[in-house]
Amino acid sequence: MSEEIRWNSKISFLVAMIGSAVGLGNIWRYPYVAYSNGGGAFLLPYIISIICIGIPLLFVEYGAGFKFKAGISKVLRTINTKYEYIAWYIQLVPFFIMTYYSCIVAWDLIYIPTSIVKGWGSNPESYFVNVVLNNVDGFAGFTHISLYVLIAITIIWLISWFISHRDINSGLAKANKILIPLLFIIMIGIVFYGLSLPGAMIGVNSLITPDFNRILDSNIWLAAFGQIFFSLNLGLTIVLAYASYLPDDVDIPKSALTVAFTNSIFEVFTAFGIFGILGYMSQTSGIAINKLITEGTGLAFIAFPEVFNLMGITGNIIGPLFFICILFAGITSLLSLIEPVTLSINNKFGFGRRNTVKLLCIVGFLISLLYCTGCGSTIIGLWDAFLNQFGLILNGILEIIIIGWIYGLDKLTDGLNKNATLFKLGDKWIFIVKYILPIILGIMWISGMYSLFETGDTFSLLMQIIIILILIIVPYIFTKLPAKNDDY
């Protein structure tokens, strides 16, 4: 029989959900996406995306987890045994994201002590590319190892194991209760400090000034849909796993709204601080703001160290705090990526939580050694694009087809509405999920596929072929392996 796992309080669940949603994408993806897609005008499609995509799809995963009290593999197998293969494919996507996400968090860990003394020197880009990553293009990169990344990624996996192998309340929930409040407190301080800097309004005005001429641009709407989809971790089955641990007296609609809006408020609020700091750099260096803003690792590990250099001794304080924020956001999200895979494996094979987490962390660590090579950052970029644009969105489509159409959303509404006080879900929600979401996600998927395969060298194509083969073969193996739990 599977282990009986339950959250010991509603707060434990909510904080864990918020910790899952608030990740690296909130800090370094949203500011870039908002700025490059109409600035203030982006808020309209962003808000509509929360209402029309984020929250409705959240309810699907909430409802399935709450109804079946199991991970995605058991949920889909219960609906029909032939869907178990699809379930293991769905589950494999967050597992591989987990392996390279750990490496990005490891990069950040390196920067915490580095930022205290500004060890990146006068050229942060060279430090990141040549010292931290030990970057080497192409197949030759496999022969080079970054010792710094190897040490840091070992520490990150040990931390993840130490927290996750405990029961969810003494491990996962407790860690989130400590890290999330600290993250919010430190980030609030950084944002207000950033807004107090000379030239901060240059950056803020760049962020909020609306370009209404672009409001009808379909690319802006797709960007907003994508931001909400990735920001709320939709399609990763994290929500489904967390909801499976819920007691029967939880107001699910209220919880989902709390998570969605807390996540959105955090990333919008953080964007003001980031653009305030970039505005300061623009005024100080004389470089236009559009030359400074970049997405992802370029913003965190290159642009911001350049800003901290300009701040003098203050940069030696703000820098470590900034990277500590990224660490906390990264750790809580990494823990949430471990959870759904743990639940699905334990549901079928009954290894017990401690043994399952140990196995996952060992396998995840071994795979992540690939990212410690000189071509590791290139592989991360390729697999991240593929798994997000192909795998993750396809996960959402498959969930809608199997849970929404084949199983029937009406079978989930009783559980979702059981303790609802704000509103109850009904025909409007079902219509949006069954008819609106497949169209939107389908367009996003096709658009992502086109951009993914539009260009690519031999190395890129080989890495994509490898991940495709893994996504085909591994689910087949897990499907054929005999279950050890009688109730599977």
Side-chain angles (χ1 to χ4, degrees):
M1 295 290 290
S2 299
E3 295 174 285
E4 183 76 9
I5 303 174
R6 290 290 179 269
W7 299 107
N8 60 8
S9 70
K10 298 173 186 177
I11 293 295
S12 294
F13 167 71
L14 271 178
V15 175
M17 280 293 300
I18 292 170
S20 163
V22 173
L24 305 184
N26 300 77
I27 298 173
W28 67 39
R29 188 176 191 271
Y30 174 82
Y32 174 83
V33 171
Y35 173 76
S36 58
N37 286 281
F42 180 76
L43 282 176
L44 176 61
Y46 178 75
I47 292 169
I48 292 175
S49 298
I50 297 173
I51 298 170
C52 294
I53 289 187
I55 295 173
L57 201 48
L58 269 180
F59 286 138
V60 175
E61 293 202 11
Y62 264 96
F66 188 76
K67 171 80 173 180
F68 291 95
K69 303 296 184 185
I72 189 68
S73 64
K74 187 175 179 180
V75 169
L76 297 198
R77 179 180 169 83
T78 302
I79 294 173
N80 193 311
T81 54
K82 65 184 180 183
Y83 299 141
E84 185 183 356
Y85 174 84
I86 296 174
W88 287 113
Y89 154 75
I90 291 174
Q91 198 66 95
L92 201 60
V93 173
F95 173 77
F96 270 99
I97 291 176
M98 173 184 73
T99 65
Y100 66 74
Y101 198 91
S102 66
C103 185
I104 299 173
V105 180
W107 295 345
D108 177 76
L109 181 64
I110 294 169
Y111 270 73
I112 294 176
T114 301
S115 61
I116 297 174
V117 295
K118 297 179 184 174
W120 47 70
S122 60
N123 192 340
E125 181 175 6
S126 176
Y127 175 80
F128 179 59
V129 173
N130 298 319
V131 178
V132 175
L133 301 183
N134 194 17
N135 192 59
V136 178
D137 293 332
F139 295 100
F142 287 111
T143 62
H144 294 72
I145 296 291
S146 171
L147 183 60
Y148 293 122
V149 176
L150 177 60
I151 294 171
I153 210 168
T154 303
I155 294 171
I156 293 299
W157 276 110
L158 286 172
I159 292 172
S160 302
W161 166 81
F162 179 76
I163 296 172
S164 292
H165 86 285
R166 302 164 181 266
D167 70 77
I168 60 167
N169 293 299
S170 62
L172 183 65
K174 189 174 182 179
N176 277 284
K177 285 179 181 178
I178 296 171
L179 297 180
I180 292 302
L182 286 174
L183 167 62
F184 282 11
I185 290 169
I186 297 172
M187 186 54 75
I188 288 170
I190 290 174
V191 169
F192 280 112
Y193 173 77
L195 294 175
S196 71
L197 291 169
M201 292 313 297
I202 296 174
V204 173
N205 288 333
S206 298
L207 174 66
I208 65 175
T209 300
D211 182 0
F212 289 118
N213 293 326
R214 301 184 61 193
I215 198 68
L216 297 179
D217 185 346
S218 60
N219 291 323
I220 290 179
W221 289 85
L222 287 175
F225 295 149
Q227 176 61 27
I228 290 301
F229 194 89
F230 302 135
S231 181
L232 289 176
N233 289 331
L234 300 173
L236 290 172
T237 70
I238 294 169
V239 177
L240 190 148
Y242 281 8
S244 73
Y245 304 148
L246 282 173
D248 293 332
D249 61 345
V250 172
D251 184 339
I252 292 179
K254 185 177 180 180
S255 298
L257 288 180
T258 301
V259 172
F261 286 112
T262 299
N263 174 73
S264 297
I265 290 169
F266 176 82
E267 65 183 9
V268 172
F269 177 75
T270 300
F272 278 86
I274 286 176
F275 267 83
I277 294 172
L278 291 175
Y280 162 78
M281 182 178 182
S282 178
Q283 177 172 292
T284 305
S285 65
I287 302 173
I289 197 78
N290 64 326
K291 301 291 185 181
L292 298 175
I293 182 63
T294 182
E295 186 179 11
T297 55
L299 178 65
F301 301 126
I302 298 173
F304 263 73
E306 290 175 353
V307 176
F308 300 142
N309 281 347
L310 296 174
M311 288 182 176
I313 191 66
T314 307
N316 296 74
I317 300 172
I318 298 298
L321 291 175
F322 173 76
F323 290 112
I324 286 172
C325 279
I326 295 178
L327 178 68
F328 289 171
I331 287 290
T332 55
S333 294
L334 182 58
L335 295 175
S336 70
L337 286 166
I338 295 174
E339 196 59 35
V341 192
T342 299
L343 180 59
S344 285
I345 290 177
N346 206 24
N347 281 161
K348 181 167 186 175
F349 302 110
F351 294 151
R353 182 177 182 84
R354 288 176 177 268
N355 290 331
T356 304
V357 170
K358 184 192 299 181
L359 176 64
L360 281 175
C361 287
I362 291 173
V363 174
F365 169 74
L366 292 175
I367 294 173
S368 66
L369 293 178
L370 182 66
Y371 315 127
C372 299
T373 63
C375 57
S377 62
T378 303
I379 297 172
I380 289 175
L382 292 170
W383 285 8
D384 179 62
F386 185 86
L387 289 170
N388 279 287
Q389 295 177 5
F390 174 83
L392 200 54
I393 297 175
L394 184 58
N395 280 9
I397 295 172
L398 291 171
E399 286 180 8
I400 291 169
I401 292 172
I402 297 174
I403 298 174
W405 278 92
I406 297 173
Y407 178 71
L409 294 174
D410 55 305
K411 296 177 183 177
L412 303 180
T413 52
D414 286 345
L416 289 167
N417 293 330
K418 183 177 180 182
N419 302 295
T421 55
L422 294 176
F423 60 89
K424 293 184 182 293
L425 298 169
D427 292 340
K428 291 181 180 178
W429 169 63
I430 293 174
F431 178 81
I432 290 173
V433 172
K434 292 180 68 175
Y435 299 101
I436 304 297
L437 286 186
I439 294 173
I440 295 173
L441 295 182
I443 293 172
M444 288 172 59
W445 190 76
I446 293 170
S447 174
M449 285 296 88
Y450 177 77
S451 63
L452 196 63
F453 292 107
E454 188 177 13
T455 59
D457 55 19
T458 303
F459 183 82
S460 301
L461 291 174
L462 179 60
M463 290 299 105
Q464 290 169 353
I465 289 171
I466 289 173
I467 196 68
I468 289 172
L469 291 174
I470 292 171
L471 291 175
I472 292 172
I473 296 170
V474 174
Y476 178 80
I477 294 171
F478 271 87
T479 302
K480 291 301 181 181
L481 287 172
K484 300 298 182 182
N485 269 331
D486 296 333
D487 61 352
Y488 188 75

